[in-house]
Each structure stands twice: as structure tokens, then as C-alpha cells.
Amino acid sequence: MGEIRSTLDIIMERTKHLTMTEEEKEELCKKELAAKVKGLVQKFLDGLTDVQDIKSVIESKGQESASQIRELLGKELMGRLEPDGHNERIFQLLEEVLSVNADPFKQVIAEFQKKVASEKAIRLDILRRQLAKRRISGSAVIPNLTLDGNWDPFYEKSIKDSKQQLSIIADNQTIGFQSFGS
């Protein structure tokens, strides 16, 4: 009776002569580091770790790795900034770990929220008047913005414009490591 081999044994046998180039090794290390940074940020946002823990991780790495971590951290945080979201913890990391002035980012988000709130009030008023013309009124009547064909395009464009402004600010921000872009 023949020997029964596992799939892993077969794979190992067929790939034993293959080696990774230096570029492949470097790319793999970057991907692993990016995944680690992403995990750190998620743990922080979930409240499972604090700023000191993240600073400790950065400081425990060598100078070159710390620089890469800071760059990846900046990119990860910028990718998570949402004009219509809660960004306080992201701002905290930008300010306390990366020494970034988050005020320009906060200003863009505040302008977005003000613009959306103003437009929402206008559109809700229009919807209420349309309902009133159809003799539908009262304190229990709540207009549905999703039925307004103009709301979704306005809202999506506003988010896109705000994200573009945030990206421009990030590209122009001097933060002690390479620009973390969009």
C-alpha cells in the first residue's frame, strides 16, 4: 500500500526549489507592516488599545521601520476619515502620535456638516410643503429625504468634494514623514 501524503507535503515538495527575490521579500514585509498598522488603528478605534500602546509599538521598531510605520499610519488614518462620520479618535492619533495639526481637517468636516444640515433643512421644508399641498400634515408626518430625487446626488457629491479637500490638505501637510496622500 502506498504512502498517503498530505496536501502540505505535496506543496512543500513542489516548491522547495523556489526562492523569493529581495524585491519580493521587501514587498512582503511592507504588506505585513501595513496589515499590522491597520490592525493597530482598528484596535484603537475599537477602544482596545490607547495612544501610548501605539507610540510604544512605533518606538520599539528601528528608525527605518518607525518611519515606515508613521507613513503607513498616516495613510491609514486618512483613508478612514469620513466627512459624515465620527473622526475624533482619528484626530487624536494624528495629533498625538504623528504631531499633525488636525484643525484643517476638522474645518473641512465642519463645513461639510454645516452645508449638509442647511441643505437638509431646505429639502425637508420643500417636502413638507409638497405633502401639505396634498393635505398631508401634522406632527406625525416625517418627510422622507430618500424620496427626494435631488438629495442623494447632492449628498454623494458633497462627500466626494469633502474627501477631495481632505486629500489635498493631507498632501500639503508637513508632518515629519513622507506625505501620506489619498
Side-chain angles (χ1 to χ4, degrees):
M1 191 164 189
E3 179 181 332
I4 298 175
R5 298 186 312 170
S6 72
T7 304
L8 183 58
D9 290 336
I10 295 169
I11 291 172
M12 294 301 290
E13 181 180 309
R14 290 185 181 174
T15 60
K16 66 182 173 188
H17 65 282
L18 298 177
T19 58
M20 294 177 77
T21 65
E22 288 302 315
E23 293 163 352
E24 291 171 329
K25 288 178 184 176
E26 189 174 307
E27 187 65 30
L28 181 62
C29 286
K30 283 182 183 179
K31 284 182 181 179
E32 288 174 354
L33 196 56
K36 183 172 184 152
V37 168
K38 187 174 188 150
L40 277 172
V41 170
Q42 188 60 54
K43 282 182 180 179
F44 178 77
L45 295 177
D46 291 342
L48 301 174
T49 188
D50 61 14
V51 172
Q52 267 322 109
D53 292 337
I54 293 176
K55 284 182 177 181
S56 296
V57 168
I58 293 172
E59 291 169 2
S60 71
K61 302 296 180 185
Q63 184 66 22
E64 186 176 322
S65 289
S67 174
Q68 285 180 329
I69 290 172
R70 290 173 55 80
E71 181 178 348
L72 290 168
L73 182 60
K75 287 180 182 179
E76 181 67 23
L77 293 173
M78 286 311 304
R80 290 178 180 252
L81 265 181
E82 289 295 331
D84 59 348
H86 299 284
N87 299 296
E88 293 79 17
R89 301 213 17 112
I90 293 172
F91 294 143
Q92 182 183 5
L93 283 180
L94 284 170
E95 292 171 339
E96 294 180 27
V97 176
L98 300 178
S99 301
V100 173
N101 178 8
D103 289 342
F105 301 109
K106 291 176 183 178
Q107 182 178 357
V108 168
I109 290 171
E111 288 171 8
F112 164 82
Q113 291 171 345
K114 182 179 176 183
K115 177 181 172 183
V116 167
S118 173
E119 187 66 21
K120 183 177 183 178
I122 291 169
R123 296 207 185 263
L124 286 173
D125 186 52
I126 291 170
L127 289 172
R128 277 190 196 96
R129 282 189 269 138
Q130 288 174 348
L131 289 170
K133 284 181 184 178
R134 294 176 20 204
R135 296 178 188 216
I136 301 171
S137 62
S139 60
V141 175
I142 302 173
N144 187 349
L145 271 178
T146 59
L147 297 178
D148 180 359
N150 296 322
W151 175 253
D152 283 341
F154 162 79
Y155 190 74
E156 295 301 321
K157 184 179 182 327
S158 296
I159 287 178
K160 181 181 176 188
D161 292 347
S162 294
K163 284 186 174 186
Q164 187 175 15
Q165 289 176 342
L166 292 170
S167 179
I168 290 169
I169 293 169
D171 286 340
N172 294 326
Q173 185 77 268
T174 306
I175 53 179
F177 62 90
Q178 296 177 9
S179 175
F180 51 81
S182 55

